[in-house]
Amino acid sequence: MISNQILQSTIDGLKGIARINLCVLDTDGKVLASTFQMESEFEKAALEFVNSSADSQVVQGHQFFKVSDDNQLEYVLVAQGSSDDVYMVGKIAAFQIQNLLVAYKERFDKDNFIKNLLLDNLLLVDIFNRAKKLHIDTNTRRCVFLIETKQEKDMNALETVRILFGARGKDFVTAVDEKNIILVKELAENETYEDMEKTAHIVLDMLNMEAMSKVKVAYGTIVSELKDVSRSYKEATMALDVGKIFYSDKNIVAYGNLGIGRLIYQLPIPLCKMFIKEIFDGKSPDDYDEETLTTINKFFENSLNVSETSRQLYIHRNTLVYRLDKLQKSTGLDLRVFEDAITFQIALMVVKYMKYMESEEF
């Protein structure tokens, strides 16, 4: 259904051109939008007109018109006056609103189709048949962006994204839950993942500035066929979750950049617990004091370079070596050896993942 705001804007524009007052009522005679003050007795007149067989009629010096969609009466339009000019303007206004109904219905049908497509609720044959009916290209490159807002039902953010991308007609903006906005973006043949990153930054900056919403943006891989859009959506969903666990400082996360975090995210919790127990004999690698953890993280950041790590920590090289030796004695892992360093890094990530999953259960 068309919003009252759109109806009001439409008849305001028509009045500005034709200088004739217009009013739109629902089938119960209630005023939805008007450019003049309707008298109370018009409600009764509108109800009588609704129940009549006439498509247009002069009632109490005003032109009444029915606006239908697929033979279903949706609105009653009233044009102030009874002259031929008023009749012509009323017919034009009724035609305009009828076209709006068709456009909004198609938009609703497309939105419904895209939601079912993302959620894998359609058979392959249905995808192609409905896409053809809705004039949606099935062999165009697309990528799905997932925008998580801090608050539920953030309509400002949703409208901002719709204004930014929905006007093109080839991009789709929708939502399947309370907090996430989904953008299915159509891509040109020459657009790359670098362009996807730029798009994500545009969304982030626009929402932070225009809608005053703190958001996170994740996106999946580029797909070439409409039937694969759901895969890109699932990838974007995973990127958003994995980003919260391992890259909490980042507001933009790409599925293709998740690295080993993507693998850990798919491990069952019992297997993770078994891994930690075997490697650390029941201890947790994040039980170490803050100084040790800072040393370990900085050592990893500097690609196991002892000299650079000691310089950035403002400690003597021998002090760093002492800390690494101490860690080796307690864990059996020498972080200066690549294989041991990888094992310890994975263990830290596994523990992060386990803690995140535990917090999600409560």
Side-chain angles (χ1 to χ4, degrees):
M1 188 65 73
I2 308 170
S3 69
N4 292 355
Q5 185 179 358
I6 296 295
L7 288 172
Q8 187 65 53
S9 175
T10 300
I11 62 174
D12 282 342
L14 289 167
K15 183 194 173 181
I17 297 169
R19 298 182 182 179
I20 290 173
N21 281 311
L22 299 164
C23 178
V24 181
L25 304 95
D26 63 16
T27 54
D28 294 323
K30 181 184 175 184
V31 175
L32 302 176
S34 182
T35 62
F36 68 104
Q37 184 65 44
M38 288 284 291
E39 297 175 14
S40 57
E41 58 263 26
F42 273 100
E43 182 176 331
K44 183 180 178 182
L47 288 173
E48 290 176 355
F49 175 62
V50 166
N51 295 321
S52 72
S53 59
D55 289 327
S56 64
Q57 189 176 340
V58 177
V59 180
Q60 299 177 18
H62 292 67
Q63 296 279 4
F64 279 59
F65 303 88
K66 289 179 180 176
V67 181
S68 302
D69 179 42
D70 284 343
N71 298 318
Q72 175 68 40
L73 181 62
E74 297 289 346
Y75 301 113
V76 172
L77 174 75
V78 180
Q80 192 177 41
S82 58
S83 67
D84 290 344
D85 288 342
V86 172
Y87 175 79
M88 181 180 68
V89 171
K91 288 291 283 184
I92 292 171
F95 180 72
Q96 176 68 15
I97 294 171
Q98 196 161 20
N99 283 341
L100 280 174
L101 276 170
V102 172
Y104 269 74
K105 185 179 178 182
E106 183 174 308
R107 174 176 163 180
F108 174 80
D109 286 346
K110 283 185 177 180
D111 186 70
N112 190 47
F113 169 69
I114 292 297
K115 283 180 181 177
N116 283 303
L117 177 68
L118 293 169
L119 297 173
D120 273 336
N121 290 338
L122 297 172
L123 297 172
L124 187 60
V125 65
D126 292 332
I127 292 173
F128 287 101
N129 288 341
R130 291 186 64 181
K132 184 178 180 181
K133 192 177 291 185
L134 293 169
H135 309 291
I136 298 174
D137 196 340
T138 58
N139 293 310
T140 298
R141 299 171 76 240
R142 292 181 174 91
C143 184
V144 176
F145 291 79
L146 193 59
I147 305 148
E148 184 187 67
T149 58
K150 293 293 183 184
Q151 59 199 56
E152 295 185 356
K153 294 184 179 179
D154 193 336
M155 298 308 294
N156 287 337
L158 181 61
E159 283 306 310
T160 300
V161 178
R162 277 188 173 145
I163 291 168
L164 195 60
F165 295 99
R168 271 197 353 141
K170 295 184 177 181
D171 299 330
F172 302 101
V173 179
T174 188
V176 295
D177 56 36
E178 300 290 331
K179 290 187 70 175
N180 295 320
I181 300 166
I182 302 165
L183 166 64
V184 182
K185 192 173 189 310
E186 185 172 309
L187 311 177
E189 286 299 322
N190 61 343
E191 286 190 272
T192 64
Y193 285 106
E194 187 176 332
D195 297 302
M196 299 305 94
E197 190 73 13
K198 289 177 182 176
T199 298
H201 277 285
I202 290 170
V203 171
L204 188 72
D205 295 342
M206 185 65 72
L207 290 179
N208 285 342
M209 182 173 58
E210 297 290 335
M212 302 298 287
S213 299
K214 296 295 180 183
V215 302
K216 285 185 178 290
V217 181
Y219 58 93
T221 56
I222 296 171
V223 296
S224 300
E225 296 184 46
L226 187 64
K227 65 182 178 65
D228 294 325
V229 163
S230 63
R231 190 187 78 217
S232 187
Y233 168 63
K234 289 172 187 172
E235 292 168 347
T237 302
M238 181 184 286
L240 194 63
D241 287 341
V242 173
K244 290 175 188 175
I245 304 170
F246 304 118
Y247 314 105
S248 55
D249 57 326
K250 293 184 178 181
N251 290 322
I252 296 173
V253 186
Y255 176 80
N257 297 334
L258 294 180
I260 201 168
R262 188 172 78 196
L263 175 64
I264 293 171
Y265 180 76
Q266 297 178 80
L267 293 175
I269 294 297
L271 187 62
C272 293
K273 289 180 178 178
M274 188 184 301
F275 171 74
I276 296 299
K277 185 176 181 180
E278 289 175 357
I279 298 296
F280 297 100
D281 194 25
K283 297 177 184 177
S284 175
D286 66 343
D287 285 341
Y288 297 105
D289 58 75
E290 190 173 338
E291 182 184 76
T292 303
L293 287 173
T294 301
T295 302
I296 293 166
N297 289 327
K298 187 62 70 174
F299 192 52
F300 287 151
E301 283 176 23
N302 289 294
S303 303
L304 315 184
N305 187 309
V306 174
S307 299
E308 183 60 25
T309 303
S310 58
R311 187 186 70 80
Q312 291 188 20
L313 289 173
Y314 303 103
I315 59 175
H316 194 276
R317 177 190 172 93
N318 290 343
T319 304
L320 177 58
V321 171
Y322 169 75
R323 290 181 185 176
L324 294 174
D325 286 341
K326 184 180 176 183
L327 190 64
Q328 183 182 2
K329 286 178 183 178
S330 64
T331 65
L333 298 172
D334 185 355
L335 300 194
R336 289 158 292 193
V337 177
F338 180 75
E339 187 176 337
D340 287 355
I342 286 292
T343 301
F344 200 94
Q345 174 74 346
I346 291 173
L348 287 175
M349 295 178 74
V350 166
V351 169
K352 261 189 179 181
Y353 166 61
M354 288 165 61
K355 286 190 171 182
Y356 175 81
M357 295 307 291
E358 285 173 7
S359 68
E360 288 292 293
E361 290 177 2
F362 295 101

